[in-house]
Structures are given as C-alpha cells and as structure tokens.
Amino acid sequence: MKKDLLGIADLTREDIYLILDTAEAMREIGLRPIKKVPTLRGKTVVNLFYEPSTRTRTSFEIAEKRLSADTLNIAVAASSVLKGETLVDTALNIEAMAPDVIVLRHASSGACHLLSRICRSRVINAGDGMHEHPTQALLDAFTIREHKKRIEHLKVAIVGDLLHSRVLRSNVLLLTGLGADVWVSGPATLMPAGIERFGVRTSTSVDEAVADADVIMMLRIQQERMHGVFFPSLREYFNTFGMTAARIARAKPDVIIMHPGPMNRGVEIASDVADGPFSVILEQVANGVAVRMAVLYLLAGGAEGD
Amino acid sequence: MVRDLEMTFHMPKCLLKGGRVVDPANGRDGTFDVLIDGGRIAKVGRDLPVDAGVAVVDIPSGLVICPGLIDMHVHLREPGQEHKETVATGTAAAVAGGFTAVACMPNTNPVNDNAGVTEYILNKAAEANLARVYPIGAVSKGQAGEQLAEIAELGQAGCVAISDDGRPVATAMLMRRALEYAGMFNLPVIEHCEDQTLKNDGVAHEGFHASALGLRGIPGEAESIMALRDIALAELTRGAVHIAHMSARQTLDAVRWGKSRGARVTCEVTPHHFVLTDERLGTPIAFDTNVKMNPPLREEADRDAMLAGIADGSVDVIATDHAPHHYDEKRVEFDHAPFGITGLETAVSLCFDRLVHSGIVSLARLVELLSVNPARVLRVAGGSLAEGAPADISMLAPDLSVTVSVARMRSKSKNTPFDGWTLRGGVAATMVGGRIVYVNEAVDLRM
C-alpha cells in the first residue's frame, strides 16, 4: 500500500482484499470484553475535521482507541477557515508536532492530496468534498461481502444525489474494480457528466435500476446544496426517486438496503425501508470501526525498520 | 559576448545580416538583410551593402527574424496587486518570451476605467522601458457591468481596446451600447465569454475528469452562448468584437458562423488551450492548481478543434492570458485557488513545438497569429518589417532545445504547468525600437 489513503483510486485489487481481510480480524477485537490491543501504542493520530461529522469522526476515534493510539480531535468550524490560517499552514503546524497519522475531512475535493504532498505523516481521507470517501466504500464492500460472500457479478444499484456524492465515487471505483455490475440512478440534474466512463449503467428510472438488484445503496440528498434548481421539492423527490417498499419489491428477494448516513427519512428513503428487514444500515456503522482499524493498522502499524 | 551585442545595437545604424526573414505582411520569407537606422527599419533586401558606421550583426543560420510578437492578452497586475506582477516584471517576462508589445487587461485595483489609471500604467511602462505596453480600458465603471466607463477618454489616454475581462460584459444591453459607443473611436470590445449562471461555481471543464475528481464543472456552452450573443450584437451594431481566450469547440463554431455572415468578429486561443486537456486535472499531479484557469482546460475534442481552427485560419490570434498569481494563493485547495497561469515566457516554445514542428502551421502563419493579426485587431503599429516601421523585431530560434524552468523566469509569479517541459524552439533576442532588450545567452549570436 502507498503511504497515504487518499482514495480508492490509489488502491489495487490486492490492497482492497488485504484491508477487507484485515478488517475481519479487527472486528473480533470489538467483540471482546476488553476491546483494546496495543498495536498503535505510542502512535499519535490527529483527526482534523473541517466539516461536521458525527459518524465518521466517532468511528475513527473508536478505531484509534481500540488500537491504543493517542488520539486528538481538531474540529475546525467553517467560519474560522475564512479568516484563519490556510489549510497548508494548519497542516504544517500539526506536522511540526510529529503525529504519525492525520485523518482529514474537508469540504474541498483534493484537500487530502494537498496535505499528502506537504506532510510526512500518513494522510487518511475521511471525505474530501465531492471527491472520495474511501473508508466508507471499504466498509460498504465489507458489509456486502459479509452478506453475499462475494462482490463479483452482483447487481448494485446506487440511487440518489450522484453529483455531489463522494460516497458514490469511491463506491463506483471499488465495486466496478471488484467486478460488480453497478447501476446508478437519480434525477438527470444530479447525474455527473461522463459518469458512464466509470463503467456503470445509468438510468433515471429507479425502478429499472433496482430491478433484480442484490444491493441497493441509497445516497443522501444534501438539502443544503439543492437550492431548488435540481428538483422542485422534497415531496416530489421522494415520490419519484425515494426508496419505498414497493420499489424494493422489484429487487432480488434477499436484497440488502444500505445508506451511508445521515439519513433523511421520507426524502431518499422511507422509514419502513430504513428500519425494515432488508436494511443493513447499522451493520455498516458497526463494520466501519473494524475497517478503519484495518486501515490504520496497515498504514501505521508496522514497527520502525519493518 | 552579450555585452558586445548590446553595444552594437546602441550604434545608430546596424545591419542584421543573413537571417531568415519571415514577414508575411510584406510577402517575405527568405534570407534577407535588415538595416536599422534611428530605431526604425531603414531597408530590407538581399546582400545590402555595408556602409561606414554601420554595425554588422551576422545572424547565425537557422535563426528567424520577424516583426515583433504582440501578446494582446496579459495581466500585469499593476496597480494594486504588485505582489503578483508589476509592469516592470511583466514586461521583462514579455521580452524574454520574444514579445515586443503586450496589451494589459483592466482588472487591476483600481480598475483601469479612467484616464488616470491608464496614464499610471503607461508611466510605469516608460520607466521599465522594455516591451511596449498597450493598456486595455474597462467597458464599465469598476467593471461592475452597470454604467459605461469614459471610453473616449480612455482611448485618448492610450487604451487600444475595452474589456471587462475576468468577467463578461454583464448584459446584452450594455454590450450593445459598448459596441456602438466604442465603435466611434475604433476601439474593439474584447469579450471574456461566459454565461455566469451556467458557469455557476464551476472550477474545471464539465466532463469525465472533473466528475472523477469531484470538481464542479463548467460546460463549453457557458462560453459559446455568450459568444453567440456577442456576435449577434456585433452584427446589430456593426461593432468589432474580439473573443478572448477561446476554449470550446462550440465557440469556434460560433465564430466561424459569425465570420461567414460578415460580422466583425475575431478570436484568440491561448497556448495552454491548444496544448493541454482536462486530463491534466488528475495527472501527473492530482488537483494541481496550476491547471486551474478560466476558461478551463477542455477535453480532447475541444483541444483538437482549437488546433484545427489555428490551421484553417478561423483563429486570428494566439495570446497568452498571462495571469500571474503569488505562490501562496495557488498553494490552497483547488476550489479556493485563483484561476490563471503565466504564459509570456512559454508561449513561443509551445507554439514552435506544437504548431510549427508538428506541421499544423507554417512559420509565416505563426507570425501572423502572434504579430500581424494582433496588430490588426488592436489597430496598433507593428506586425510588419516595412521600411519606416519601428524596429520591433523578434529573433527566434526554431530548433533551440528549451527546458522550461520557473527558477529562471522573469515574471514575479511561477504559476505554470509547463515547468520542466523540454520543447523545441525558443527566443534568441528581442529588439524594441531598434534597441536590444533581451538576449538569450543560450543562443550564439556572433558579431
């Protein structure tokens, strides 16, 4: 593996399987009465979050603590970015205190690449703008593999705001890379230009996309980004693109329903679907810790001189 | 040797002997001697006699002598943003890049929307005493897109065109009035074509590469829609519109359509838009802010269209859109970096390497694109080695191997994606008004 985890685009197929296999072992640690191993003892991990995040930040922090790393959380409010120092200066200052890993969440695509070029510390992308969210895609793949025992040749339908979603990009790279048959669906106004070049099938009909699907992955509608020009109303969105029990009936009988969170109930997903028997949404959250432990271990776990 | 050469050029009369003179305005392309007297071209001919008191410069075979190159689209940043560039450093970069004249855009601080700012820029140019500087005035006061600037006075003070560059002329009505009004003074309107609602908060060309990197896209139509508006208004008003930094194939089609109808429309393309594509967003350096410019690098079909337009004559001018930015300003997130790259010191090498040596255009056609046509569009002197013309001469070395190095650049800013590129073709020396203002030490110019 490379020094940093900037995106799925940087990983080989072998890297991905290594992470998923390592995560299996890590999950076992979370089932013990004493959920802690000394693997990262003496290592310092800085969680640098420029965007609000509950799930991802908590997940990373628990993963770091279970590996005995010293963890520091820095939450930078968006308002202070404008008047404050640049990302580069902040990173160089943190770097001067010699952390081993910086976990970065940032609203701008490519922010992790910028950090990667100036930092000796290992950089893990915890979501950069509309670009990538690699640990999310890895935990999604882990969850799929757990249920379906494979990823190759599964039909995966990804539905929602495709344009603004970093989860989409990472998942498309990962799932197509592992041989899944990926369909993406959403309103034409939220379809990224040239998306078919990723090797996915596109449809603005959710019914078509989910037909006989093994996996349905919902993407969050970021209401703050919609400005009323991508679709007329949340009500119309739900009626046209929302995941309902009736739509799920078109998928395979053992379909699993995924969502990276946070969910907008009644917008992209009906509550009875989110809470229903096909939903694996909370398993995704649980698996996130194991996958992040695996990533941290593989990047920072080696003893000096290994 | 360089000092000797400079001394030579300080003599009142000098004879450039035996270079390949490429002067399409006068139908010359061959070995000629050029006699310079009192800062002007005195005579061009074969085997001119060497009179007493004439310094002779033997031009090594392979060097080209052509009318001075004119970059009609640069940002010199003065007044107001002297940390990026000044008139002095910008004109030093210009002459090192083979340009004897530049036309500078008005988006300074304060905006060049009145004769006082124009005079300030011209005074700084006179102090620097390197390349000629032709200021471009604003279309609207403060470039705010509301009221016309004092265009007649701008013209009298020395502005050669008007533009709200950096943004489009805000409304169709303002554009109509600008074309009508500036037309009285023979000032073309140079237009930064961009429908700002369609551009929105885009930072890169809308397509696969921007999508893959999660960057907000700007479609080519953001440019062509505005070009179509402006061409229609040029027809309505019989005014002259010049489309700046054309990047999209749809815009080229619009320009061809306008020309076919007899509209007074001309256009320019930058070297980066005929060399690079949006693939550079991801490789070799992902999210490199030195490939962030407006208009953005577009896809292969657009780049190929620009080359075709250059080859078939639809494109009138090559201009650099030299846009210096301080390194701090570019060392930020891609979304937050300012648009633009420098261009003055790489243009000639890129043109030789990608246009001439690859067989897209002849050397004579290149001289039209870089000298004859910008002079014609701006209605300024230059573009010709006719007897009596100012001795603004670019001496080019078509086969010189040039490795681009930001460390050696004269521009105050180093924001170029071409650092480290090795290209075939460069600049040997630059002469303005009979005075040598730049000599490339890598070229052997013998007395």
Side-chain angles (χ1 to χ4, degrees), chain A residues 241-254:
Chain A
F241 301 99
M243 197 52 59
T244 57
R247 289 204 167 102
I248 286 174
R250 305 176 66 89
K252 291 226 175 96
D254 62 344

Side-chain angles (χ1 to χ4, degrees), chain A residues 157-160 185-186 205-211 213 215-219 221 237-251 255-259 263-275 278 281:
Chain A
I158 308 179
V159 181
S185 182
S205 159
V206 177
D207 286 347
E208 186 188 16
V210 302
V215 177
I216 296 173
M217 192 181 284
M218 300 308 298
L219 298 175
I221 288 297
Y237 183 87
F238 179 69
N239 289 336
T240 318
F241 301 99
M243 197 52 59
T244 57
R247 289 204 167 102
I248 286 174
R250 305 176 66 89
V255 67
I256 57 172
I257 309 294
M258 307 178 75
H259 194 300
M263 273 187 288
N264 296 300
R265 290 169 180 267
V267 178
E268 69 263 5
I269 189 163
S271 275
D272 59 344
V273 172
D275 303 328
F278 304 112
I281 294 170

Side-chain angles (χ1 to χ4, degrees), chain B residues 71-131:
Chain B
D71 187 347
M72 66 176 289
H73 193 140
V74 305
H75 297 269
L76 295 180
R77 304 296 189 209
E78 194 174 5
Q81 295 187 300
E82 290 85 354
H83 64 293
K84 298 177 192 244
E85 194 80 284
T86 64
V87 173
T89 59
T91 53
V95 298
F99 292 98
T100 59
V102 294
C104 59
M105 285 295 171
N107 57 341
T108 47
N109 183 17
V111 169
N112 183 15
D113 63 0
N114 66 79
V117 176
T118 305
E119 283 161 16
Y120 179 87
I121 293 166
L122 289 171
N123 285 338
K124 290 288 175 184
E127 276 172 33
N129 202 19
L130 291 165

Side-chain angles (χ1 to χ4, degrees), chain A residues 50 81 86-89 92 106-111 113-114 117-118 128-132 163-164 169 173 192-195 197-198 225, chain B residues 200-201 205-217 278-279 282 284-289 299 328 330-336:
Chain A
Y50 279 83
V81 174
T86 63
L87 173 63
V88 167
D89 281 337
L92 290 175
H106 197 285
S108 286
S109 301
H113 286 73
L114 178 63
R117 285 199 284 275
I118 59 167
D128 64 323
M130 313 186 306
H131 177 226
E132 280 225 44
L163 184 64
H164 299 103
R169 284 160 180 77
L173 290 168
I195 190 171
R197 276 181 66 186
F198 286 99
R225 279 180 169 151
Chain B
N200 200 12
D201 50 4
H205 173 63
E206 183 176 300
F208 170 74
H209 294 287
S211 291
L213 295 171
L215 297 173
R216 291 178 176 78
D278 61 347
E279 198 179 354
I285 302 170
F287 301 99
D288 182 2
T289 56
E299 57 201 52
D328 280 346
K330 281 287 199 181
R331 207 162 72 129
V332 297
E333 301 87 324
F334 195 91
D335 285 342
H336 299 165

Side-chain angles (χ1 to χ4, degrees), chain B residues 102-374:
Chain B
V102 294
C104 59
M105 285 295 171
N107 57 341
T108 47
N109 183 17
V111 169
N112 183 15
D113 63 0
N114 66 79
V117 176
T118 305
E119 283 161 16
Y120 179 87
I121 293 166
L122 289 171
N123 285 338
K124 290 288 175 184
E127 276 172 33
N129 202 19
L130 291 165
R132 295 181 200 275
V133 173
Y134 298 118
I136 296 167
V139 169
S140 61
K141 282 182 185 156
Q143 293 191 300
E146 286 161 12
Q147 294 170 277
L148 288 176
E150 291 170 338
I151 292 167
E153 283 186 27
L154 285 166
Q156 282 158 15
C159 286
V160 296
I162 55 170
S163 179
D164 272 353
D165 186 57
R167 62 185 81 154
V169 176
T171 64
M173 181 58 99
L174 186 67
M175 187 60 166
R176 175 195 181 158
R177 298 302 180 217
L179 285 162
E180 287 169 341
Y181 195 82
M184 295 191 293
F185 315 107
N186 289 319
L187 297 174
V189 180
I190 301 176
E191 174 71 321
H192 168 115
C193 289
E194 178 180 279
D195 181 309
Q196 292 193 297
T197 64
L198 207 47
K199 181 206 171 210
N200 200 12
D201 50 4
V203 294
H205 173 63
E206 183 176 300
F208 170 74
H209 294 287
S211 291
L213 295 171
L215 297 173
R216 291 178 176 78
I218 308 171
E221 286 76 3
E223 182 179 271
S224 63
I225 284 172
M226 197 55 91
L228 286 164
R229 178 197 84 172
D230 295 334
I231 291 164
L233 292 171
E235 275 197 73
L236 172 67
T237 61
R238 295 186 185 82
V241 66
H242 177 78
I243 309 295
H245 46 52
M246 179 169 70
S247 65
R249 57 191 189 272
Q250 299 90 333
T251 311
L252 179 62
D253 288 341
V255 168
R256 284 176 175 145
W257 173 77
K259 287 184 172 189
S260 74
R261 294 171 57 85
R264 295 175 65 200
V265 55
T266 52
C267 66
E268 72 191 28
V269 173
T270 71
H272 49 272
H273 285 116
F274 68 69
V275 173
L276 303 176
T277 66
D278 61 347
E279 198 179 354
R280 296 278 303 190
L281 292 166
T283 180
I285 302 170
F287 301 99
D288 182 2
T289 56
N290 282 335
V291 297
K292 180 178 176 182
M293 65 282 287
N294 190 17
L297 296 179
R298 299 211 182 267
E299 57 201 52
E300 212 168 283
D302 296 292
R303 195 265 316 269
D304 292 348
M306 295 305 115
L307 290 171
I310 288 167
D312 72 16
S314 308
V315 171
D316 299 278
V317 169
I318 291 171
T320 68
D321 193 10
H322 178 79
H325 291 293
H326 194 262
Y327 80 94
D328 280 346
E329 296 166 317
K330 281 287 199 181
R331 207 162 72 129
V332 297
E333 301 87 324
F334 195 91
D335 285 342
H336 299 165
F339 291 101
I341 62 169
T342 61
L344 282 165
E345 293 171 86
T346 47
V348 163
S349 294
L350 290 166
C351 286
F352 268 123
D353 196 276
R354 297 309 168 98
L355 299 180
V356 177
H357 295 314
S358 62
I360 305 261
V361 297
S362 66
L363 194 46
R365 169 80 180 126
L366 182 66
V367 172
E368 286 177 359
L369 289 159
L370 284 168
S371 176
V372 179
N373 293 349

Side-chain angles (χ1 to χ4, degrees), chain A residues 129 137 167 246:
Chain A
V167 176

